[in-house]
Amino acid sequence: RKEVEQDPGPFNVPEGATVAFNCTYSNSASQSFFWYRQDCRKEPKLLMSVYSSGNEDGRFTAQLNRASQYISLLIRDSKLSDSATYLCVVGVYGGATNKLIFGTGTLLAVQP
Amino acid sequence: DGGITQSPKYLFRKEGQNVTLSCEQNLNHDAMYWYRQDPGQGLRLIYYSQIVNDFQKGDIAEGYSVSREKKESFPLTVTSAQKNPTAFYLCASRRSSLNEKLFFGSGTQLSVL
């Protein structure tokens, strides 16, 4: 089983739609959580960190469920510019370990 | 401006050749990372370093080597033992504290001739 799993998509949605991505992680010792966005052949860029209480940034809302080891990202009122791959990232720390593990990404295509 | 610089942007390797990818950061970050990305795939961790003169293997370290002689620099060597080196390589750095985000370089595309 992969340490971080995501539905690869693609998710094809019309402009203005609401879309949700899910991510599960297997290591219960995971301590930090992020969503990154990656455009084709570019480096990933941080979209938002995910906090235990859930957090929102404009049209984007992230949720964390530690009991179920599950993270979600909700995008409201999708724009054409939201088309990209969304990567779920989990941080594992302890002793000599300090690494961030990426999911395989979910591809979003917003259609006009 | 502070940031991470990877070079070269494109690199070609011949059979049996070792090649080295450069990664330099001026963000004063302690931790540095190398990831490999194959088409349609996520990022897989090759090696990481939390402090100068120390580094740990990631999930796919075989066929790769690194060094961390200076805080600013974390070069990755793709050795001839890596039989399938064609991929997009990303270097990243961050402060070592929990919840600190990764800063990425712009990547190196390595191809085999």
Side-chain angles (χ1 to χ4, degrees), chain A:
Chain A
R1 182 186 173 190
K2 291 181 180 176
E3 289 189 81
V4 179
E5 295 205 60
Q6 293 181 251
D7 181 344
F11 283 56
N12 295 300
V13 303
E15 272 189 287
T18 295
V19 60
F21 304 139
N22 301 321
C23 172
T24 58
Y25 60 95
S26 60
N27 190 335
S28 59
S30 300
Q31 296 169 275
S32 61
F33 308 90
F34 308 88
W35 283 101
Y36 276 73
R37 170 196 168 125
Q38 186 177 27
D39 294 293
C40 189
R41 309 314 289 165
K42 300 284 189 183
E43 71 274 22
K45 295 188 177 176
L46 179 69
L47 180 64
M48 56 198 307
S49 302
V50 187
Y51 302 116
S52 297
S53 55
N55 48 299
E56 185 174 308
D57 182 2
R59 297 182 293 109
F60 300 86
T61 301
Q63 297 279 351
L64 167 63
N65 184 323
R66 284 187 184 271
S68 302
Q69 296 182 193
Y70 169 98
I71 306 158
S72 65
L73 176 69
L74 183 77
I75 304 176
R76 290 181 298 278
D77 188 23
S78 300
K79 312 290 184 193
L80 293 176
S81 58
D82 292 335
S83 298
T85 297
Y86 290 82
L87 299 162
C88 172
V89 184
V90 172
V92 179
Y93 312 92
T97 300
N98 177 358
K99 59 181 183 178
L100 289 108
I101 303 164
F102 283 72
T104 53
T106 298
L107 180 62
L108 172 65
V110 181
Q111 314 288 342

Side-chain angles (χ1 to χ4, degrees), chain A residues 3 31-34 36 38 41-44 46 49 87 93 95-100 102-104, chain B residues 33 35 37 41-43 45 48 50 56 59 88 90 94 96 98-102 104-106 109:
Chain A
E3 289 189 81
Q31 296 169 275
S32 61
F33 308 90
F34 308 88
Y36 276 73
Q38 186 177 27
R41 309 314 289 165
K42 300 284 189 183
E43 71 274 22
L46 179 69
S49 302
L87 299 162
Y93 312 92
T97 300
N98 177 358
K99 59 181 183 178
L100 289 108
F102 283 72
T104 53
Chain B
Y33 303 78
Y35 290 90
Q37 187 173 34
Q41 301 292 316
L43 280 67
L45 183 63
Y48 66 104
Q50 298 191 71
Q56 285 83 40
D59 300 316
F88 189 49
L90 286 157
R94 67 189 202 125
S96 294
L98 196 64
N99 291 326
E100 291 289 339
K101 71 172 186 177
L102 279 171
F104 281 91
S106 57
Q109 174 64 50

Side-chain angles (χ1 to χ4, degrees), chain B:
Chain B
D1 286 339
I4 299 184
T5 302
Q6 282 187 246
S7 62
K9 191 171 179 66
Y10 300 97
L11 186 59
F12 297 90
R13 194 191 90 166
K14 295 179 182 178
E15 292 285 341
Q17 186 181 38
N18 292 354
V19 292
T20 297
L21 284 60
S22 170
C23 179
E24 304 277 333
Q25 54 99 359
N26 60 3
L27 300 166
N28 200 34
H29 288 167
D30 288 312
M32 297 188 74
Y33 303 78
W34 273 105
Y35 290 90
R36 167 183 172 140
Q37 187 173 34
D38 293 279
Q41 301 292 316
L43 280 67
R44 291 185 290 166
L45 183 63
I46 305 172
Y47 268 99
Y48 66 104
S49 167
Q50 298 191 71
I51 196 168
V52 173
N53 291 324
D54 186 54
F55 47 82
Q56 285 83 40
K57 292 182 179 180
D59 300 316
I60 55 165
E62 188 173 348
Y64 299 97
S65 66
V66 292
S67 63
R68 187 86 187 277
E69 296 177 2
K70 298 187 300 182
K71 189 175 186 178
E72 302 79 18
S73 179
F74 191 40
L76 174 74
T77 297
V78 184
T79 74
S80 56
Q82 173 49 248
K83 298 306 179 187
N84 184 24
T86 297
F88 189 49
Y89 290 85
L90 286 157
C91 179
S93 72
R94 67 189 202 125
R95 295 192 187 95
S96 294
S97 302
L98 196 64
N99 291 326
E100 291 289 339
K101 71 172 186 177
L102 279 171
F103 290 76
F104 281 91
S106 57
T108 294
Q109 174 64 50
L110 175 62
S111 303
V112 176
L113 289 175

